[in-house]
Amino acid sequence: MCGICGMFDLRPKGAAIDREAVLEKMLGAIRHRGPDGSQTLLLDRAALGFNRLSFLDLDGGMQPLQNEDRTVSMICNGEIYNFQELRSELTAKGHVFRTRTDVEVILHLYEEEGLDFPNRLNGQFAIALYDEKKGQLLLVRDQIGIAPLFYTVVDGTLVFGSEIKAILEYPGVERKLNLKAVDQLMNFPGIVSPVTFFRGISALRAGHLLRALPGQEPEDLEYWDMIYEAEEEDKGEDYYVEGLRELLKAAIARRLVADVPIGFYISGGLDSSVVACYIGKYLLNSTYSFSAEIGSGDLDESRFQKIVKDCVGSTHYVTKVAEEEIWKDLPAVIRQAESAVKESYDVAAYRLSALVRQSPAKAVLTGQGSDEFFYGYVGYMLDQFRWMQKGKMTPEECELNERLWGDPYFRYERNHPEIRAVHTKLYSPDVRGELEHFSALAESPINVDRVKGLSSQKRRSYIDYKLRLSDHLLGEHGDRMFFSHSVEGRHPFLDLELLSFVAKIPDKYKLNGTDEKYILKKAGRGIVPDEILKRKKFPFQAPGMSAMMKHGAREEFLEEGLLKKYGVFDPAYVKELKALYTQSDFQLMGAYEIDYLLIVMTVTMLCEDYGLTL
C-alpha cells in the first residue's frame, strides 16, 4: 500500500491555485506512507499524487496509471489479492497491461463494469479514478475499511488523501475540532466514519464509493455491506472446519505474494498464532516474525509468543514496551493517528511497526478481524444471559437501545444514559450546553434495518464491524501505526472469500457455550500448539492514566490553562478525576471502564499538535 492524494474541480472554472505546488506539499505530508518514490499527474479537472511503497514490479509499477488511450487515470493505495484471476480474464477480453502490478486491473475492470467494478475486488484499497470522457472522479474504499480515504470540499474543489495531514496542506482548509468525534469516543470503541476529529473533513465509509461530477454535490454510494442471514442451514461441524482450513490457507497465501519479504506478528493470542502456524506448516515463504512484550505477571504474553515462534521456526524480532516509553511516545502516536484515544495500546502498535522497519520485511500479516467475526469478545458470551438484564434496564435505556441497535434489551458495551451523567460533568459548561447538536447518541451509527431479526451474536458482530473494526482497530490503531514507519499491514481474516464463508457458519460453532471462537480452534488443531488453543482469552491491556498519574508523566496536557484554552473540558471536574486517579487504591478495570483522563489528555494533544479550535 502507499499514500495517495489529489483534488478535483467541481466548479465550471477551476480554482486559481498552483496545483502542482500544492500537490507536492500534500505528498510531503504523507511521505512516510510511500518513501520509495513519488509522482504526480495534472489533468483537466483532476490532479493526482502518489507516494509509493513498492511490493510488486519494483521497477515498473509507479503510479498514477492510465488505460490504453489515457482517458482513465488512477491512483490506488492498496493490494488486490485476486488480481491474477482478474488479469487473465481482462487480457482475454483484449485489455493491454503495461505493468506487472496488481492494481492495474482496476483500470480495465472499470472500463468493463463501470461503477460496479469494486464488487469484483478482493483486497484492501483506497482508489481515486478519473474518467476524462465523463468528467467524473470516483473515490472508493474497500469493503471492510482497511485502507483509509478522507475528503473535503473547499471553494468548489474536492480534496482527498490517505491521511488528513495531506488535506490540511490545501489552501483554505480550516482546522476545527469536531465535537461529535469526541462524543463518539466517549460512547463507542472509537470514532465512526464519516466522522473525523476535524470538522468539515469526512472519512469515506467502508464499502462506499464517492462519485463527483462538475456542478454537482458529490454522491456517496454504498456498494457493499456485511449481510447476515437470520437463519442458515447447518452443514455440520466437519464441513465448516475443513472449509475454514482451506480458505485460511488461501487467504494467507494471497497476502504473501510480493517481490519483497513479508513478515507476520506473533502476539501470543489465538488469532495471530493461527496465521503464523499456517505459514509455518503450509507456506514456508515468510520467515520474519515480530512481537511486543508489554506488561508483567498475567499480562505478560512472552511465554506464549516463544511457543509460537519455536513452532514456526522464524527469525524473530522483539520490542519491549516499558511504561515510561508509552508516555514518551504518546504525542507522536496521536499525531500519526489523527485521533484522540482512550487506550494506550496504540503505542505498542507504533513501536512494533518501528521494529518491522529495522528488518528486511516491508509488510506484516496480523490476526486482526477474527474477534469480530468468530465472536471472540466477552460481549458475545454475555448476550447468552441477556434475559437477566431485562429487569435491570430503565425505560430510558431501553428506548435508546432500540433506537441505536434495533433492540430495547441489547446493550452494546455501555449503559449510555448512565455514563452520560459523567460526560455532562466532564464537558465544559459551554460545550455541555451544545450537547444536543453534536451528540453521538442522537442517531444510530449503523443501518438498524440490517440487524433486525438477527441473533444477538450476529447483531453484535455487525455492530463490531461498523464501530470497532473499520475506523478504530484498522484505522488509528492499525493503518496509521503501520505507516508511521512505512510498513503495510495485511489481514487474512478479512479476506472476502473467507468472510463470505464465515458469515454462513451457525452461531453455535463460533460460540460453543462459553468457548469462544470454537470453530477456529478446531481449524487450528494439529497446526497451532495446544497451549495456545487451550489458553483462555483475556483482553489485551496496556497501562492507563491511573498508572501515568502516579508517575506524574505528561501532566502538562491536563493543566488548567491548557484546558481553558481549548474549552472542551471542565477544568474543575478534570481536577477531581486527577485526585481520584492518584489515590493509592484506585485502578481502572482495563477494557471494562472508560479512561476519561486519557481522552482528555489525547484530545488536548491533538488540538495542540494540529492547532484545532472549536
Side-chain angles (χ1 to χ4, degrees):
M1 297 216 292
C2 311
I4 65 173
C5 61
M7 60 198 80
F8 176 73
D9 294 331
L10 295 167
R11 296 179 300 184
K13 186 176 181 180
I17 64 165
D18 185 338
R19 294 191 300 167
E20 187 168 10
V22 172
L23 207 53
E24 289 295 342
K25 285 185 177 181
M26 294 173 72
L27 286 170
I30 55 172
R31 193 77 67 199
H32 50 278
R33 296 190 69 92
D36 296 339
S38 294
Q39 192 158 295
T40 61
L41 180 64
L42 302 182
L43 300 161
D44 57 344
R45 284 192 170 276
L48 307 177
F50 180 75
N51 284 332
R52 189 179 188 203
L53 186 62
S54 308
F55 289 98
L56 286 169
D57 194 359
L58 304 186
D59 296 325
M62 178 59 80
Q63 300 180 41
L65 295 172
Q66 294 182 296
N67 65 340
E68 296 92 332
D69 64 2
R70 303 190 184 281
T71 58
V72 180
S73 307
M74 181 210 71
I75 44 179
C76 175
N77 163 33
E79 311 291 341
I80 307 303
Y81 297 120
N82 61 336
F83 80 97
Q84 290 162 326
E85 307 96 280
L86 291 172
R87 186 177 180 126
S88 295
E89 174 190 322
L90 291 162
T91 300
K93 291 180 177 179
H95 291 274
V96 177
F97 286 79
R98 293 194 175 99
T99 74
R100 293 187 297 105
T101 60
D102 55 318
V103 299
E104 192 177 353
V105 298
I106 294 168
L107 282 170
H108 306 296
L109 199 61
Y110 167 74
E111 290 181 294
E112 289 289 331
E113 307 204 8
L115 296 184
D116 292 330
F117 83 90
N119 288 299
R120 298 289 310 283
L121 301 176
N122 183 0
Q124 50 194 78
F125 49 85
I127 300 165
L129 185 149
Y130 177 60
D131 185 330
E132 191 164 2
K133 289 181 179 177
K134 294 182 177 179
Q136 168 182 275
L137 179 78
L138 304 179
L139 301 181
V140 189
R141 189 177 180 193
D142 67 71
Q143 294 91 337
I144 306 299
I146 302 169
L149 193 53
F150 302 95
Y151 66 93
T152 191
V153 175
V154 185
D155 296 330
T157 300
L158 175 67
V159 186
F160 63 89
S162 294
E163 296 183 13
I164 293 171
K165 299 174 191 65
I167 293 174
L168 294 175
E169 293 297 324
Y170 190 87
V173 174
E174 291 187 330
R175 297 185 178 226
K176 298 285 188 181
L177 178 67
N178 185 2
L179 288 173
K180 185 163 187 176
V182 178
D183 207 51
Q184 284 190 342
L185 188 62
M186 295 268 218
N187 287 281
F188 305 145
I191 59 173
V192 186
S193 293
V195 171
T196 75
F197 272 92
F198 296 74
R199 196 191 318 163
I201 298 178
S202 298
L204 187 62
R205 286 175 283 184
H208 278 241
L209 177 156
L210 191 77
R211 184 187 187 197
L213 288 162
Q216 300 179 26
E217 287 291 319
E219 185 181 13
D220 188 342
L221 305 170
E222 181 184 67
Y223 70 87
W224 187 91
D225 197 9
M226 186 74 180
I227 302 297
Y228 280 115
E229 301 296 335
E231 299 289 338
E232 62 281 294
E233 178 189 354
D234 185 350
K235 296 183 178 180
E237 184 176 305
D238 290 346
Y239 170 84
Y240 296 111
V241 170
E242 291 308 312
L244 194 50
R245 282 180 174 160
E246 292 306 311
L247 287 166
L248 271 170
K249 280 192 285 185
I252 294 167
R254 290 185 190 109
R255 285 154 181 79
L256 294 175
V257 174
D259 295 334
V260 296
I262 306 294
F264 51 92
Y265 281 167
I266 296 177
S267 71
L270 175 65
D271 309 325
S272 68
S273 299
V274 166
V275 173
C277 293
Y278 267 69
I279 289 173
K281 183 173 178 66
Y282 295 113
L283 303 167
L284 301 175
N285 60 343
S286 177
T287 59
Y288 302 102
S289 58
F290 308 89
S291 294
E293 293 181 4
I294 184 171
S296 58
D298 291 339
L299 298 181
D300 182 8
E301 299 194 84
S302 59
R303 178 170 74 87
F304 299 102
Q305 293 167 356
K306 184 177 185 302
I307 289 170
V308 177
K309 185 266 293 185
D310 290 344
C311 174
V312 176
S314 54
T315 301
H316 194 57
Y317 294 72
V318 177
T319 181
K320 296 181 184 290
V321 185
E323 195 169 295
E324 59 271 17
E325 292 171 324
I326 288 177
W327 308 118
K328 175 177 71 70
D329 287 343
L330 191 59
V333 165
I334 297 306
R335 171 156 190 81
Q336 292 298 333
E338 303 173 333
S339 171
V341 300
K342 57 183 174 187
E343 303 104 350
S344 63
Y345 60 56
D346 278 20
V347 177
Y350 176 79
R351 294 181 68 83
L352 259 177
S353 68
L355 183 68
V356 177
R357 185 67 176 166
Q358 297 168 21
S359 79
K362 293 184 73 171
V364 284
L365 273 63
T366 83
Q368 199 65 268
S370 171
D371 283 318
E372 290 76 14
F373 298 112
F374 286 97
Y375 305 171
Y377 297 121
V378 68
Y380 294 95
M381 282 185 267
L382 295 178
D383 284 338
Q384 297 179 110
F385 307 101
R386 63 198 295 268
W387 57 271
M388 298 175 65
Q389 291 289 334
K390 288 187 177 182
K392 301 176 182 178
M393 291 185 177
T394 64
E396 183 184 9
E397 186 186 0
C398 289
E399 185 277 329
L400 191 59
N401 288 341
E402 173 73 34
R403 180 155 47 84
L404 294 180
W405 321 123
D407 184 326
Y409 302 112
F410 181 87
R411 177 182 288 174
Y412 185 69
E413 299 192 348
R414 310 291 176 196
N415 179 338
H416 290 291
E418 183 177 83
I419 64 172
R420 187 52 109 195
V422 178
H423 302 165
T424 54
K425 289 192 288 186
L426 187 56
Y427 284 132
S428 70
D430 287 345
V431 169
R432 198 180 304 152
E434 296 294 317
L435 182 54
E436 64 182 79
H437 299 298
F438 64 83
S439 171
L441 308 179
E443 70 281 321
S444 178
I446 66 166
N447 182 342
V448 175
D449 289 337
R450 299 274 164 86
V451 296
K452 287 182 177 176
L454 297 183
S455 67
S456 292
Q457 284 78 21
K458 286 185 173 66
R459 183 188 304 269
R460 186 172 296 276
S461 176
Y462 182 85
I463 298 170
D464 273 339
Y465 151 53
K466 294 294 188 181
L467 269 64
R468 185 189 305 279
L469 186 61
S470 290
D471 299 297
H472 170 41
L473 294 178
L474 295 174
E476 45 89 0
H477 176 64
D479 173 90
R480 244 68 88 238
M481 295 304 102
F482 285 120
F483 278 99
S484 66
H485 295 101
S486 308
V487 172
E488 177 179 282
R490 300 181 176 186
H491 314 286
F493 284 108
L494 300 177
D495 184 271
L496 276 195
E497 285 189 20
L498 176 62
L499 280 181
S500 178
F501 180 81
V502 171
K504 295 178 175 63
I505 298 176
D507 290 347
K508 67 179 182 180
Y509 295 126
K510 297 179 183 178
L511 181 63
N512 190 328
T514 58
D515 191 1
E516 83 284 344
K517 294 190 278 195
Y518 170 82
I519 200 75
L520 184 58
K521 292 173 186 174
K522 287 284 187 178
R525 186 168 291 175
I527 302 169
V528 179
D530 286 345
E531 296 96 322
I532 303 297
L533 294 177
K534 294 176 181 177
R535 185 185 176 201
K536 293 300 293 182
K537 179 182 173 65
F538 65 93
F540 177 78
Q541 298 181 42
M545 282 290 292
S546 58
M548 190 225 70
M549 290 298 297
K550 288 161 188 173
H551 290 89
R554 294 294 178 191
E555 287 198 56
E556 68 270 25
F557 291 101
L558 298 175
E559 289 180 354
E560 182 177 349
L562 203 56
L563 296 178
K564 287 183 175 179
K565 173 183 175 181
Y566 293 110
V568 180
F569 302 109
D570 186 339
Y573 189 62
V574 171
K575 186 176 180 180
E576 285 184 36
L577 287 178
K578 287 169 67 175
L580 176 65
Y581 275 46
T582 52
Q583 291 177 7
S584 58
D585 60 346
F586 178 79
Q587 186 174 4
L588 287 171
M589 289 180 62
Y592 304 107
E593 289 189 272
I594 300 172
D595 196 336
Y596 287 111
L597 271 192
L598 190 56
I599 293 175
V600 173
M601 171 178 281
T602 56
V603 168
T604 307
M605 281 182 179
L606 190 72
C607 290
E608 276 283 276
D609 197 322
Y610 285 99
L612 302 182
T613 60
L614 288 180

